[in-house]
Amino acid sequence: MTTISGKTRLAGLYGLPTRHSISPAMHTQAFQALGIDGVYLAFDIAEKDLATSIQAIRTFQMIGVNVTMPYKRQVIPYLDELSEAARLSNAVNTIVREGTRLIGHNTDGIGFMRSLRDIELNPRGKEITILGSGGAATAIIVQAALDGVKKINVFNRMKPSFEELRGNLNKIAQQTDCSIELYHLADEKRLTQSLAASCLLINATNLGMKDDDPLPLSTDLLPEHLAVVDLIYNPPTTKLLACAQEKGLKTANGLGMLLYQGAAAFELWTGQSMPLKAVRPLFER
């Protein structure tokens, strides 16, 4: 049980809604395991209250906060500085207070790249393929580029914002010296070529969350050397992962990304490594 004292420091989660999040349990467990006098609470923030809520981080000398939807971009004007990953992805999921200054970070991509260690995969200097272009996908693309991935193939559905997406990806490529190419998800020939050259396939679409969802791609396209990660973690084994496992491929779901992005945020706030042995059972349940 958490004991509150006059010295207890506060961290939290800002978003709407937040009550479903595992973050309060994760960070409070980590505080307790390391003997840190801190608590982590979830706050449902109305849009009209966002500015004052950000100011409260300074006013109450909070450790910092995580930011979830729908405010990952909206918080940026209220911050004093952005990390390179936050700037390139134009999204913040972690705010660190340094005195009166608030620094915005994006640890989603960091969490994903760290999670690859669990399947013994290091994509540095190699080629990867990602399906989708949402916030999680963008964070992964940015961090993969920063971490030295040689080339990133992005496949997305054709929609009005397709060319805008191409422009954004080109900017990331120019500022990270990583080759990033955008293709139509329906281009099976190009997809086949990209998978053959890649060490990793990431599904960052929402296809797989429902039982009747179609597969995001034909599993006949998966070569035997490929690792497959599906960012969906409910269900923990999607149709895509099940098919990949039948082929004997290395697989992982999105829980690793969730765990390690939280660990990265914890390190930024405390300067200490999150005690993963104490925290991981929360995710296994």
Side-chain angles (χ1 to χ4, degrees):
M1 180 179 293
T2 301
T3 300
I4 305 297
S5 74
K7 296 181 180 179
T8 301
R9 300 174 64 206
L10 176 64
L13 174 66
Y14 284 3
L16 190 69
T18 62
R19 303 305 177 185
H20 64 284
S21 176
I22 196 174
S23 294
M26 173 172 57
H27 288 285
T28 298
Q29 181 82 2
F31 288 153
Q32 291 176 350
L34 294 180
I36 296 173
D37 192 358
V39 294
Y40 184 110
L41 302 175
F43 297 96
D44 281 351
I45 305 296
E47 185 174 0
K48 65 182 179 62
D49 298 324
L50 185 60
T52 54
S53 298
I54 298 297
Q55 181 57 35
I57 303 171
R58 298 185 178 94
T59 303
F60 299 123
Q61 299 183 11
M62 295 174 67
I63 298 171
V65 300
N66 287 132
V67 181
T68 189
M69 298 300 290
Y71 300 130
K72 290 188 176 185
R73 292 187 178 182
Q74 290 175 254
V75 298
I76 290 176
Y78 305 112
L79 305 180
D80 300 296
E81 185 180 333
L82 296 179
S83 71
E84 189 172 16
R87 179 180 60 80
L88 288 172
S89 62
N90 193 33
V92 166
N93 81 329
T94 301
I95 299 174
V96 179
R97 183 183 62 82
E98 296 182 2
T100 60
R101 290 175 55 78
L102 300 181
I103 316 301
H105 296 260
N106 191 325
T107 66
D108 283 333
I110 295 172
F112 178 82
M113 296 301 287
R114 289 186 183 182
S115 74
L116 296 179
R117 301 172 188 170
D118 290 346
I119 57 173
E120 300 179 341
L121 178 65
N122 181 2
R124 184 178 182 84
K126 300 176 183 178
E127 191 167 328
I128 67 174
T129 294
I130 184 165
L131 312 180
S133 61
T138 301
I140 291 169
I141 291 166
V142 166
Q143 196 62 48
L146 291 173
D147 286 357
V149 168
K150 180 181 179 180
K151 183 180 180 183
I152 305 171
N153 305 298
V154 182
F155 286 81
N156 201 54
R157 297 184 186 92
M158 188 65 173
K159 48 188 177 181
S161 59
F162 193 87
E163 290 307 317
E164 180 183 352
L165 172 61
R166 188 188 303 278
N168 291 337
L169 293 177
N170 285 342
K171 290 178 183 178
I172 296 171
Q174 291 167 5
Q175 295 182 59
T176 59
D177 203 26
C178 174
S179 175
I180 304 176
E181 298 290 344
L182 175 64
Y183 305 108
H184 297 160
L185 186 54
D187 189 345
E188 191 168 292
K189 181 179 178 180
R190 179 64 68 176
L191 182 56
T192 301
Q193 294 171 345
S194 295
L195 293 176
S198 296
C199 66
L200 172 65
L201 167 67
I202 306 157
N203 176 39
T205 74
N206 61 3
L207 290 177
M209 296 185 71
K210 300 177 182 178
D211 291 339
D212 57 352
D213 278 347
L215 286 163
L217 79 169
S218 170
T219 55
D220 291 338
L221 303 180
L222 302 178
E224 61 182 13
H225 67 271
L226 196 69
V228 180
V229 178
D230 198 327
L231 298 190
I232 294 168
Y233 51 84
N234 187 17
T237 303
T238 61
K239 292 178 184 177
L240 174 62
L241 292 185
C243 291
Q245 289 166 5
E246 289 178 3
K247 286 174 169 281
L249 307 184
K250 291 182 178 180
T251 65
N253 63 25
L255 279 177
M257 177 177 175
L258 187 61
L259 170 63
Y260 289 107
Q261 65 81 23
F266 186 87
E267 291 169 18
L268 289 168
W269 291 331
T270 67
Q272 300 186 58
S273 296
M274 176 176 275
L276 295 178
K277 287 185 179 180
V279 172
R280 197 181 290 271
L282 295 171
F283 289 80
E284 293 173 351
R285 290 198 294 269

